[in-house]
Amino acid sequence: PGRSFGRFPVPMDALAIHPGKFVAGISVAKSKLGVLPLLSSAVDDDKAPAAILFGGYGSRPGLFHDLVAIAATVDGRLLTLESDSTSAALAGAAARVQAVDPYGNPVNAFAGSTSSVFSLKAETSSVTYLDVGVESQGYVYVLKYLGDGSAASDYLLDIYQPDGTFLTQTSGIAAARLAVSLWRDVYTLNYEMVADADRTQPSVSWWIPSVPATATRGT
């Protein structure tokens, strides 16, 4: 109590741990990326360093619109998940994933290293985006649901190749959040009745990727 490793000057809605030993967060209300280098030991709260804020509301690379979630890649990029713009000023700004460095600068990581963003798969009904994850080779996972999300089949997990090209979609993953391990295992935060529990409470599921016939799963 009374000690910390750092602080954010505005409330953060989602966080990611960067391999460079800092925490990156997003503020939905401010459309900001906050980057906080972690101290080696805790200090008094009034001496804790503040995160640096980058970005702002917009559609050009380096700005953010309708932020949803953030993830960090093993090579040091930060990926932000951004929903379709709800602002009249940015009408037509589509849902996307954007890559930036720890200083908020766009990183041309997609489309043959020519773009810092890629657009998300179009659907025939309204989409609510929930979370984004990335594994060691750069494949990007996006969790979302269609319509009002009242049925398990409304929940979809889209996977994009490292260059931002859509790869595949899995339905029925009814969850609120996800985390992707370096080995492509997916962990989801669910809301369901847990066995032997007397009330509905959060649970975690472990989704194991299938093993190709010619490969052996490592330990």
Side-chain angles (χ1 to χ4, degrees), residues 5 38-42:
F5 291 85
L38 293 175
L39 297 176
S40 58
S41 60

Side-chain angles (χ1 to χ4, degrees), residues 8 11-18 23-26 34 68-72 131 177:
F8 288 93
M12 293 286 113
D13 297 284
L15 300 173
I17 305 299
H18 189 277
V23 179
I26 55 169
V68 176
I70 186 171
D131 210 351
R177 292 285 184 179

